[in-house]
């Protein structure tokens, strides 16, 4: 594996090491840290701490996508994320914007973000793929479903979804070097389906694209451990490290950066030989 993964300012050979993306939610209702980093000063301090801990990317989100969350308008989302982006951009970090709205993505890139992280895989907003291509930025395309359906083969559903997302990206002119896939753990899936995806992760390698893994503090970990969101660090580390042996995971998206940086360094020494 020698392809270059082009993440804007961050360019790295695929397979060289696991990248750690730190989560910066600027929402009042995110499931584990809602309201903690809404103010630009607090967001900047947290971003600085994650960078000091070894984060490669800071992922800024202005709309909670947890189950049961209330959708917000593009205007409200922008009011949350733009001041934070302006506060953290001078830190020199590679920044992704967690949004499925093309208008928000465009404004966020203009304010200092470098990557679009779309939880609907370019399939919610018809303008998203063309917007990303026009701006020349990488895209993270996540699998999602409007409802859980335990009767389906969830891995087959993910691969079908990814094929559509990749086709949209290619039609818009986005090169494969700027595409990342995310199986969307916790999104439109039952607890059992989340575990099935993690167990069969290698089947997503058919697309020959890097995969981002986002298990941080998710409900399935709480179910296994009988633990609240704030007490799921070790379970999160376990789930993320278990996926690295698949050989296709290049990024982990986490709330707790430094412990994952250390864990990934050890895992990389084992798996990436």
């Amino acid at each position: 594996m020698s392809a270059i993964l082009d993440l804007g300012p961050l360019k790295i050979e695929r397979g060289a090491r696991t990248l750690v993306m730190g989560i910066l939610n600027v929402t009042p209702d995110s499931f584990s840290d809602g309201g903690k980093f809404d103010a630009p000063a607090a967001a900047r301090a947290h971003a600085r701490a994650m960078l000091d801990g070894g984060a490669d990317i800071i992922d800024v989100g202005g709309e909670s996508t947890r189950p049961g969350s209330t959708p917000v308008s593009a205007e409200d989302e922008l009011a949350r994320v733009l001041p934070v982006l302006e506060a953290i951009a001078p830190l020199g970090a590679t920044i992704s914007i967690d949004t499925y709205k093309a208008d928000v993505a465009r404004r966020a890139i203009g304010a200092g973000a470098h990557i679009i992280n779309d939880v609907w895989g370019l399939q919610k907003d018809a303008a998203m793929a063309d917007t990303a291509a026009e701006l020349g930025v990488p895209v993270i395309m996540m699998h999602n479903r409007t409802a859980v359906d335990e009767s389906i083969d969830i891995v087959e559903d993910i691969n079908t979804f990814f094929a559509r997302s990749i086709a949209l990206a290619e039609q818009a002119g986005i090169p494969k070097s700027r595409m990342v896939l995310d199986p969307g753990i916790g999104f439109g899936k039952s607890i059992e389906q989340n575990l099935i995806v993690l167990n069969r992760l290698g089947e997503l390698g058919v697309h020959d694209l890097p995969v981002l893994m986002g298990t941080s503090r998710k409900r399935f970990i709480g179910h296994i451990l009988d633990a609240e969101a704030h007490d799921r660090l070790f379970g999160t580390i376990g789930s993320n490290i278990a996926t690295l042996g698949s050989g296709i995971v290049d990024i982990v998206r986490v709330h707790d950066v430094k412990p994952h940086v250390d864990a990934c360094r050890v895992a990389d020494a084992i798996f990436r030989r």
Side-chain angles (χ1 to χ4, degrees):
M1 184 183 296
S2 60
I4 297 299
L5 175 55
D6 180 358
L7 297 175
L10 177 61
K11 295 175 176 60
I12 187 170
E13 182 180 336
R14 275 190 65 193
R17 66 180 177 88
T18 304
L19 303 177
V20 176
M21 172 187 280
I23 299 168
L24 180 55
N25 286 322
V26 290
T27 57
D29 57 344
S30 290
F31 76 97
S32 71
D33 57 359
K36 293 180 68 174
F37 309 114
D38 295 1
R44 179 185 170 93
H46 188 53
R48 178 75 271 172
M50 290 193 288
L51 292 171
D52 289 345
D56 297 286
I57 306 165
I58 302 297
D59 188 48
V60 177
E63 177 178 355
S64 175
T65 50
R66 64 176 174 80
S69 61
T70 302
V72 301
S73 67
E75 292 73 19
D76 287 344
E77 192 175 347
L78 285 165
R80 294 172 180 177
V81 301
L82 290 181
V84 168
L85 289 170
E86 291 164 1
I88 69 173
L91 298 176
T94 298
I95 303 169
S96 56
I97 178 66
D98 182 354
T99 187
Y100 55 86
K101 303 181 184 78
D103 288 345
V104 173
R106 181 182 294 278
R107 294 281 301 279
I109 297 298
H114 309 99
I115 302 165
I116 297 172
N117 182 11
D118 185 346
V119 298
W120 280 100
L122 311 182
Q123 297 184 37
K124 188 81 165 181
D125 187 332
M128 185 63 96
D130 286 338
T131 297
E134 178 191 336
L135 296 171
V137 297
V139 291
I140 300 169
M141 302 176 288
M142 195 191 83
H143 171 268
N144 211 332
R145 292 181 55 83
T146 55
V148 174
D149 182 354
E150 295 194 75
S151 70
I152 64 172
D153 182 327
I154 190 63
V155 177
E156 182 179 319
D157 190 75
I158 291 171
N159 275 331
T160 300
F161 183 99
F162 281 162
R164 290 197 298 268
S165 293
I166 293 166
L168 288 170
E170 289 182 327
Q171 289 162 13
I174 300 171
K176 279 204 164 185
S177 62
R178 293 179 182 166
M179 299 183 201
V180 177
L181 304 176
D182 177 353
I185 298 299
F187 289 82
K189 301 168 186 68
S190 68
I191 288 172
E192 178 62 19
Q193 285 175 327
N194 288 321
L195 296 172
I196 288 170
V197 174
L198 294 174
N199 181 261
R200 294 170 53 190
L201 203 57
E203 295 177 41
L204 306 185
V206 66
H207 306 287
D208 193 27
L209 287 174
V211 169
L212 179 148
M213 185 51 54
T215 65
S216 191
R217 303 181 185 175
K218 292 289 176 70
R219 186 167 62 95
F220 82 96
I221 296 173
H223 176 80
I224 294 169
L225 300 179
D226 190 23
E228 297 300 319
H230 66 273
D231 198 24
R232 298 174 186 170
L233 170 59
F234 299 121
T236 298
I237 292 174
S239 65
N240 278 322
I241 299 308
T243 70
L244 296 186
S246 69
I248 63 171
V249 174
D250 283 287
I251 309 171
V252 293
R253 180 181 182 273
V254 299
H255 295 86
D256 305 284
V257 168
K258 183 59 167 68
H260 279 89
V261 169
D262 288 351
C264 288
R265 284 180 63 190
V266 174
D268 285 349
I270 296 168
F271 294 125
R272 300 183 190 271
R273 301 190 65 80

